[in-house]
Amino acid sequence: MKERLARFMQGRYGIDQFTNFLVFSALVMLVLEMFIKVPFMRFLLNTLSIAAIIYSYFRMLSRNHNKRYSENERYMKFHNGVKFFIARQKSHMQQRKTHHIYKCPQCRQSIRVPKGKGRIAITCPKCHTEFIKRS
Ligand SMILES: [Zn+2]
């Protein structure tokens, strides 16, 4: 039995971060469904979670490694983007008491300025545009 399973799994793609994400979101959707009363939303969550589980099985058993690998790459890019965005928001929140963060009107570069210095001229470090703000 164990040998048959091993033979069956041979050459299959297996589990990666994207599969973990699919299974995890399926679980989250199933839990959410328990708290939602709108029938259409429940149906939607149910369908999506089942689809996510079927898709994760399909990926695990797939023999097309290249395609699965590039799917995972795309997922990781998205994942890292979200992670970076959250880390940035968090650091902005932490600095809010002592610093202002302005955007350069020219190139949208974020510039951190200490608070409580009155009207100041800020020079963008990237494109050297000068603008005046209250800090
Ligand atoms: Zn600039």
Side-chain angles (χ1 to χ4, degrees), residues 103-111 123-131:
K103 277 217 159 74
C104 169
Q106 196 71 37
C107 68
R108 316 299 299 160
Q109 164 79 38
S110 298
I111 302 160
T123 310
C124 171
K126 203 167 154 193
C127 68
H128 305 291
T129 303
E130 232 186 69
F131 56 101

